[in-house]
Amino acid sequence: MRPLPEDLEAEKALLSTICAPGAEATAAEMVAQLQEADFTHPNHRRVFVALRSLVQKGSEVSTVGLLDELGKAGKAMGGMVVLVDILSGEEVGRPQILVDILTKHRRRRELIRLGAQVQAQAQDGDDAPELIADTAARALADLMASRNRGGLVEAKDSTQRILDALKGGAQGTLTGFNRLDGMTQGFQAGQFIILAARPGIGKTTLALNWTLSAVMGYGWVAYFSLEMMAHELTRRAACDLGSVPQKAVKERNLSQGQLENFLRAVATLETLPLLINDQAAIGVQQIRAQVMREATRRGTPPAMIVVDHIGLMGGETVKGQTDAARIGAISGELKRLAKDAQAPVVALSQMNREVEKERRRPRLSDLRDSGSLEQDADIVCFLHRDAKPQMGQDQLDKSATLIIAKHRDGELGEIPMQFEGGFCRYEEAPERHTGTDDGRGWA
């Protein structure tokens, strides 16, 4: 069996450098980036723990001080002779290089252990393969997300971002819908957006419209379709781009002009970084692992992540867990994904049947299965279409309303929409009074 990755000389050199007299500032900076598991030799690990204790107390770092801390912890490890030997390594001028080396080796060791754990679980045969895969994906995603991000940042980093936004207008991913983009300034990195509607209203169509705007103007998009196949989504996207009726494509009854437009749209799609996963019942941790891996490969975060839809998501379940609790856990994980991936996450959701039964406009309490969706989301949009009684309860006209019912960082309102189902798209309709009770009736 091959030995685990390690570099004992680098461990020793780093400890010598940051334990040197007068190196307290450097020690504090390096200790903040390191953890006990970065050191493989037991004595090196003990010295690091003692050093960290001195730094946290604000004490002077010295050989005597380290020996005293080791003694308090019951880890004298052979006394002054052994400690002096550890600290006799070659000091370096750029200890950050050694920190990076040790961190890289530690992460490789963690990957090896994770692989061995997955292999052992798979060979035991006690757990379902789906549970093993989901657990492994969660562990891998946590490992990928632990790359020394976070911590304290200077206020100027945020103020500069605010000033840049003032100069350049919207800084988020624009949806291509002018009034919506005016209200939101685009979907921002780290935002969790819910798009909810009753079945058959066209929430997938609207989400795909947003997706095309994002992928054509801002970068790659990861679209997780738990309901529709990838080729169905791609056909819809081509119909939208080429303004070709989907019915004509399905029936292979295209005029020469429609065929040319459709082929041009398909050629355009082939150049766009639109990534679709149509795996059924995928879990959040699998989504996280795939997104993080692709972000690492491309060197940029996604312009948008779309999950269609949240009610069909799988993952680890607990015996006796209600649907509300399950959706609540998924909701929290998607919000964390948005922050870790530095991208807006758009999740589609269904609404309760009461909206249809009572024939009223939706409200936040109508989000299906869980109040956690309302709590976790930064933006909640309802796509609503009124039934025409004279046409039958199940027949809808083309008019619709996009209701911004929650917006953590901006205004609420309603936007009149027009459904062009033949072309697989929504469009903003001319402004009209929506008759809301809170005085925000003009979209």
Side-chain angles (χ1 to χ4, degrees):
M1 180 181 293
R2 296 177 61 182
L4 293 174
E6 62 179 22
D7 191 334
L8 296 180
E9 290 303 318
E11 294 178 18
K12 195 171 179 179
L14 179 60
L15 290 173
S16 297
T17 302
I18 60 180
C19 289
E24 284 82 7
T26 302
E29 182 182 353
M30 298 299 105
V31 164
Q33 300 180 51
L34 290 163
Q35 52 186 270
E36 192 174 346
D38 287 319
F39 297 86
T40 56
H41 194 289
N43 285 343
H44 296 173
R45 196 178 301 124
R46 291 169 184 144
V47 172
F48 170 74
V49 172
L51 172 64
R52 184 174 59 190
S53 179
L54 290 176
V55 168
Q56 291 171 345
K57 294 176 183 177
S59 303
E60 180 182 10
V61 177
S62 65
T63 305
V64 174
L66 288 168
L67 195 62
D68 183 56
E69 284 296 320
L70 288 165
K72 290 178 183 177
K75 298 176 180 177
M77 63 178 202
M80 180 70 77
V81 175
V82 175
L83 179 59
V84 170
D85 178 67
I86 292 173
L87 301 183
S88 65
E90 181 183 0
E91 296 184 22
V92 297
R94 297 173 61 190
Q96 182 64 56
I97 295 176
L98 298 179
V99 170
D100 293 341
I101 290 173
L102 297 189
T103 301
K104 180 186 70 174
H105 286 328
R106 188 251 306 163
R107 291 170 66 82
R108 289 177 62 197
R109 291 194 297 271
E110 289 172 344
L111 285 170
I112 292 170
R113 293 185 184 114
L114 176 59
Q117 180 182 344
V118 173
Q119 181 180 3
Q121 288 178 320
Q123 288 176 333
D124 286 343
D126 294 333
D127 296 326
E130 293 79 11
L131 178 59
I132 296 173
D134 195 53
T135 302
R138 181 185 293 109
L140 182 60
D142 290 342
L143 180 60
M144 293 296 293
S146 65
R147 290 175 292 179
N148 293 329
R149 275 212 338 250
L152 296 172
V153 296
E154 294 188 31
K156 67 180 181 181
D157 294 335
S158 297
T159 55
Q160 188 58 51
R161 183 173 179 177
I162 295 171
L163 294 175
D164 290 342
L166 285 176
K167 296 174 185 176
Q171 295 297 302
T173 298
L174 299 182
T175 65
F177 291 77
N178 293 334
R179 269 168 276 177
L180 176 60
D181 291 332
M183 294 171 67
T184 64
Q185 294 301 291
F187 293 156
Q188 307 294 317
Q191 281 187 334
F192 177 38
I193 300 107
I194 294 289
L195 173 60
R198 288 296 299 152
I201 300 300
K203 54 185 178 291
T204 296
T205 294
L206 183 56
L208 192 55
N209 296 159
W210 292 349
T211 296
L212 287 176
S213 175
V215 78
M216 294 181 74
Y218 299 92
W220 65 280
V221 173
Y223 196 115
F224 294 87
S225 175
L226 288 82
E227 195 167 32
M228 297 182 63
M229 300 295 290
H231 71 271
E232 295 177 300
L233 284 173
T234 305
R235 183 181 63 218
R236 287 191 176 200
C239 289
D240 180 9
L241 286 175
S243 295
V244 177
Q246 183 176 210
K247 186 173 184 291
V249 176
K250 286 182 176 180
E251 296 177 352
R252 290 178 290 182
N253 186 26
L254 296 162
S255 68
Q256 184 61 35
Q258 289 173 335
L259 178 60
E260 292 174 357
N261 289 343
F262 187 75
L263 292 177
R264 276 195 295 268
V266 169
T268 298
L269 281 174
E270 290 177 345
T271 68
L272 298 177
L274 173 57
L275 310 179
I276 301 174
N277 182 323
D278 59 7
Q279 177 184 347
I282 191 171
V284 180
Q285 301 308 325
Q286 293 168 286
I287 290 175
R288 174 191 288 270
Q290 292 181 25
V291 168
M292 293 302 192
R293 182 169 61 246
E294 191 66 26
T296 299
R297 188 180 76 83
R298 292 177 177 269
T300 59
M304 186 184 294
I305 302 167
V306 182
V307 178
D308 181 7
H309 63 80
I310 196 169
L312 296 177
M313 295 189 68
E316 185 175 354
T317 59
V318 179
K319 186 177 181 180
Q321 186 181 44
T322 64
D323 281 345
R326 183 180 68 86
I327 295 297
I330 291 173
S331 172
E333 288 294 330
L334 287 175
K335 173 58 183 175
R336 285 187 282 276
L337 172 62
K339 295 189 69 174
D340 291 343
Q342 303 178 62
V345 171
V346 177
L348 279 56
S349 174
Q350 291 190 2
M351 294 190 297
N352 293 320
R353 293 185 180 276
E354 280 70 18
V355 177
E356 290 179 351
K357 291 179 181 179
E358 300 173 14
R359 296 181 62 185
R360 58 171 172 77
R361 304 175 86 76
R363 47 181 179 252
L364 289 172
S365 59
D366 293 319
L367 286 172
R368 188 169 179 177
D369 290 326
S370 178
S372 295
L373 293 176
E374 175 186 349
Q375 175 182 317
D376 295 332
D378 298 285
I379 298 175
V380 176
C381 303
F382 291 119
L383 187 58
H384 179 67
R385 293 168 67 190
D386 292 316
K388 294 292 184 181
Q390 67 271 23
M391 299 173 63
Q393 182 66 24
D394 60 343
Q395 291 181 290
L396 305 171
D397 71 356
K398 291 185 176 183
S399 63
T401 305
L402 184 65
I403 303 169
I404 314 301
K406 178 184 178 182
H407 188 188
R408 201 186 300 275
D409 196 33
E411 62 181 305
L412 308 180
E414 299 187 1
I415 302 172
M417 307 283 283
Q418 189 81 4
F419 182 56
E420 299 294 342
F423 299 127
C424 302
R425 75 166 71 111
Y426 267 98
E427 296 175 350
E428 289 184 341
E431 293 185 4
R432 62 178 183 270
H433 192 270
T434 58
T436 55
D437 295 330
D438 60 359
R440 286 188 289 264
W442 293 97

